[in-house]
């Protein structure tokens, strides 16, 4: 069981009457995560993840991995350092590389601290023993750090110089089967973002420096977003303004009800063709036994960015609010204050709850705020700011003779006074809902409304 007294959570303490000089524009998520001690700035554009936020990060990683495996993905790990010679072969070294970190080893050989791994994984395949068409499609993914020397790193984890990313690469025998891979991974992305229950939009996008013939972006709509999107309020269609240049009517339903909104890009998919496989010599043996270039796709998700952007969408100025599947803990249990008149009898109920709630949601999902030197009010205020989905308070009302009640506080402000059995029923319902989300048991129409995504012809 997790005890609040043992959690390393170095919250920022601002002295009373202190004048705080704001040197940069802070997003809501960045301020809350920093003030509450969930992340710390390591240097300009880099962040240290503290234990509570790491729990959320690990949950997202597990969720992403389960969806990638359902899409036929196999996990690998590639070196962070990629020889710049590979980027020269594909022509990308000749483009704008001002955002990339370049390093040299002691012999003078140049490397990129990889912002992405198309060249690295294609070269890996090219140097593997001849691959037969029977071994394709191949869908390989990894989760690891990426690096970009952002000119304006801002909004905490949303635009950082070092960030965590899931990148998958597909290899197919033809354009037709590559589109099948693209569809399979896209479906996995749709499912993942529906599981998170944060409204998102999926838009046609420009291929940019990545290249290829087809591209889609996934966005959370937020005022701090850096992308300009055009959204139809009639049918839900959305597109990137880079692709939709000054449209007067919706390309999907012809409605004129178009709004411009800001979006935070959280994922991107590309159908690459042979842009990388041909210059790097990544081939397979076709049915005639002759080498032929593999057809590729690549698919990224900004892991740390999803966390920050979801909090940006959901949270208030004062309190975090997590997607249910990403909340660091499901339940926070607050017992009576030390030395209070109700301490002894209330602790009997508290201990019963620790056992019963732990069985319902799992002991690792229960946080026991055992800091009884603090008042219930102070602990409750912190629990609300940290955004636990359910906070149960065992106070004076819990030992009333006629009608003992527990206080159950919901993330977002609502409060109920319930007896023990009603409280446990609420915890069970929360756990059931999480299991349904993990299994993908949500209504298709609800997912469509949440995503406001449009089915594109691939």
């Amino acid at each position: 069981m997790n005890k609040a007294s043992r959690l390393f959570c170095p919250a920022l303490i601002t002295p009373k009457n202190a004048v705080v000089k704001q040197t940069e524009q802070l997003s809501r998520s960045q301020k809350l995560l920093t003030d509450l001690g969930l992340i710390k700035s390591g240097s300009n554009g880099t962040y240290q993840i503290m234990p509570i936020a790491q729990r959320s990060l690990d949950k997202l990683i597990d969720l992403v991995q389960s969806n990638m495996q359902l899409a036929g993905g196999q996990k690998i790990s590639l070196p962070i350092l990629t020889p710049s010679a590979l980027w020269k072969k594909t022509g990308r070294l000749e483009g704008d590389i001002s955002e990339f970190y370049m390093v040299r080893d002691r012999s003078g050989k140049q490397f990129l601290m990889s912002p992405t791994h198309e060249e690295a994984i294609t070269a890996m395949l090219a140097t593997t023993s001849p691959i037969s068409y029977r071994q394709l499609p191949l869908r390989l993914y990894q989760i690891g750090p990426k690096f970009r020397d952002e000119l304006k790193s801002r909004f905490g984890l949303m635009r950082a110089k070092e960030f965590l990313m899931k990148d998958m690469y597909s290899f197919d025998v033809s354009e037709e089967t590559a589109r099948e891979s693209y569809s399979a991974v896209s479906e996995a992305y749709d499912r993942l973002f529906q599981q998170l229950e944060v409204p998102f939009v999926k838009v046609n996008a420009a291929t940019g420096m990545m290249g290829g013939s087809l591209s889609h972006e996934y966005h959370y709509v937020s005022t701090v977003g850096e992308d300009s999107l055009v959204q139809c309020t009639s049918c839900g269609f959305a597109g990137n303004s880079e692709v939709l240049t000054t449209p007067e009517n919706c390309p999907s339903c012809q409605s004129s009800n178009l709004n411009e909104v800001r979006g935070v890009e959280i994922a991107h998919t590309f159908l690459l063709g042979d842009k990388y496989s041909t210059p790097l010599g990544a081939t397979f043996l076709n049915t005639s036994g002759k080498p032929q270039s593999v057809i590729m796709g690549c698919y990224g998700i900004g892991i740390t960015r999803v966390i920050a952007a979801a909090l940006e969408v959901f949270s208030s100025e004062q309190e975090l609010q997590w997607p249910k599947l990403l909340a660091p803990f499901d339940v926070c249990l607050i017992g009576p204050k030390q030395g209070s008149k109700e301490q002894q009898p209330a602790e009997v109920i508290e201990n019963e709850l620790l056992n019963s709630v732990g069985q319902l949601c799992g002991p690792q999902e229960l946080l026991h705020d055992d800091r009884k030197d603090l008042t219930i009010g102070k602990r409750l205020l912190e629990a609300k700011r940290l955004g636990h989905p359910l906070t149960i308070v065992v106070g004076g009302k819990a030992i009333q003779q006629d009608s003992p009640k527990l206080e159950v506080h919901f993330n977002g402000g609502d409060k109920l006074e319930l007896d023990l059995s009603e409280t446990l029923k609420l915890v069970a319902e929360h756990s059931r809902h999480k299991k349904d989300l993990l299994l993908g048991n949500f209504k298709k129409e609800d997912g469509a409304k949440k995503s406001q995504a449009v089915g594109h012809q691939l």
Side-chain angles (χ1 to χ4, degrees):
M1 184 188 304
N2 302 282
K3 294 183 180 293
S5 62
R6 302 302 306 151
L7 274 179
F8 181 59
C9 187
L12 284 181
I13 305 297
T14 304
K16 218 171 186 181
N17 303 321
V19 178
V20 180
K21 289 185 178 180
Q22 201 65 52
T23 57
E24 62 173 319
Q25 181 187 0
L26 300 181
S27 65
R28 182 187 301 136
S29 60
Q30 179 184 7
K31 188 173 190 311
L32 284 169
L33 287 170
T34 304
D35 288 354
L36 293 170
L38 274 64
I39 64 172
K40 285 178 66 65
S41 175
S43 61
N44 180 30
T46 68
Y47 290 88
Q48 301 152 352
I49 311 294
M50 298 297 106
I52 293 179
Q54 186 65 49
R55 288 178 60 88
S56 178
L57 201 58
D58 290 343
K59 289 182 178 184
L60 179 56
I61 289 170
D62 288 344
L63 190 62
V64 168
Q65 291 196 143
S66 67
N67 279 288
M68 292 306 96
Q69 287 158 13
L70 284 173
Q74 301 178 64
K75 190 177 183 182
I76 61 170
S77 293
L78 296 169
I80 288 171
L81 296 177
T82 298
S84 60
L86 296 178
W87 280 59
K88 190 171 184 179
K89 283 186 178 180
T90 61
R92 288 212 289 180
L93 205 62
E94 310 308 316
D96 181 8
I97 58 171
S98 58
E99 286 188 349
F100 302 153
Y101 288 99
M102 312 291 285
V103 297
R104 294 182 185 274
D105 66 13
R106 64 186 67 193
S107 68
K109 189 174 182 180
Q110 190 179 57
F111 296 84
L112 286 91
M113 293 179 67
S114 298
T116 183
H117 275 84
E118 283 75 21
E119 281 83 357
I121 197 165
T122 309
M124 181 271 287
L125 208 68
T127 56
T128 303
S129 299
I131 292 174
S132 166
Y133 69 91
R134 294 188 180 90
Q135 293 172 267
L136 302 178
L138 194 57
R139 298 165 190 166
L140 305 175
Y141 78 95
Q142 62 173 350
I143 296 176
K146 298 287 190 291
F147 302 87
R148 288 181 188 166
D149 188 10
E150 297 283 0
L151 182 62
K152 293 181 179 180
S153 57
R154 56 180 180 168
F155 301 148
L157 299 178
M158 255 188 288
R159 176 63 71 179
K161 294 187 176 184
E162 179 180 348
F163 51 96
L164 199 63
M165 181 175 169
K166 187 285 306 178
D167 44 325
M168 174 184 267
Y169 306 90
S170 61
F171 303 90
D172 281 271
V173 300
S174 67
E175 178 81 11
E176 181 182 358
T177 59
R179 286 175 177 267
E180 291 173 4
S181 286
Y182 192 91
S183 294
V185 181
S186 295
E187 286 173 13
Y189 274 33
D190 292 343
R191 182 172 57 246
L192 167 70
F193 291 120
Q194 287 171 21
Q195 287 173 315
L196 293 179
E197 298 186 300
V198 183
F200 69 95
V201 291
K202 178 181 178 180
V203 303
N204 286 314
T207 56
M209 72 170 292
M210 297 291 289
S213 59
L214 184 66
S215 176
H216 291 92
E217 294 170 346
Y218 292 76
H219 288 264
Y220 286 155
V221 174
S222 169
T223 54
V224 300
E226 296 182 332
D227 290 277
S228 177
L229 310 177
V230 176
Q231 189 173 31
C232 175
T233 57
S234 297
C235 71
F237 174 87
N240 195 309
S241 297
E242 290 181 355
V243 177
L244 297 174
T245 54
T246 61
E248 294 183 3
N249 296 307
C250 172
S252 178
C253 71
Q254 304 308 312
S255 166
S256 60
N257 298 322
L258 298 178
N259 289 332
E260 188 169 308
V261 295
R262 308 299 298 177
V264 178
E265 182 190 330
I266 49 174
H268 210 148
T269 57
F270 297 88
L271 191 59
L272 299 172
D274 63 352
K275 174 181 170 64
Y276 299 90
S277 55
T278 295
L280 293 172
T283 61
F284 69 97
L285 299 180
N286 60 23
T287 53
S288 303
K290 294 182 179 179
Q292 184 176 325
S293 293
V294 291
I295 304 299
M296 293 176 57
C298 69
Y299 318 87
I301 295 176
I303 301 290
T304 39
R305 186 180 287 188
V306 166
I307 299 280
L311 290 173
E312 193 69 32
V313 171
F314 273 170
S315 303
S316 68
E317 294 294 335
Q318 298 299 321
E319 299 177 5
L320 291 171
Q321 184 168 341
W322 304 85
K324 288 185 181 66
L325 291 183
L326 301 187
F329 303 98
D330 286 351
V331 181
C332 176
L333 181 63
I334 298 174
K337 188 181 187 303
Q338 187 175 346
S340 62
K341 61 182 180 181
E342 67 266 16
Q343 181 182 2
Q344 190 171 355
E347 281 183 344
V348 175
I349 301 170
E350 179 185 13
N351 290 330
E352 183 181 346
L353 271 169
L354 287 172
N355 181 56
S356 301
V357 171
Q359 288 181 6
L360 287 171
C361 68
Q364 284 304 310
E365 295 300 329
L366 172 60
L367 175 64
H368 181 206
D369 197 332
D370 58 336
R371 301 170 299 167
K372 296 193 174 181
D373 55 315
L374 301 178
T375 64
I376 286 179
K378 188 165 186 177
R379 285 179 283 164
L380 179 59
L381 178 63
E382 184 178 301
K384 286 182 174 181
R385 295 201 73 201
L386 286 170
H388 306 301
L390 297 172
T391 299
I392 303 171
V393 176
V394 187
K397 294 179 182 178
I399 60 168
Q400 293 175 159
Q401 293 297 320
D402 52 344
S403 179
K405 296 291 183 182
L406 300 165
E407 285 185 16
V408 181
H409 296 260
F410 295 85
N411 188 212
D414 291 339
K415 179 185 82 169
L416 293 176
E417 292 186 356
L418 305 173
D419 62 29
L420 181 61
S421 63
E422 291 170 331
T423 300
L424 294 178
K425 183 180 177 183
L426 201 61
V427 174
E429 287 174 355
H430 179 81
S431 296
R432 269 197 303 272
H433 181 60
K434 278 186 61 181
K435 287 176 182 174
D436 284 341
L437 289 175
L438 288 169
L439 292 170
N441 294 336
F442 37 73
K443 294 179 181 178
K444 296 290 185 183
E445 59 269 25
D446 288 349
K449 288 176 185 175
K450 285 180 181 297
S451 70
Q452 302 174 15
V454 177
H456 301 279
Q457 294 296 319
L458 302 181

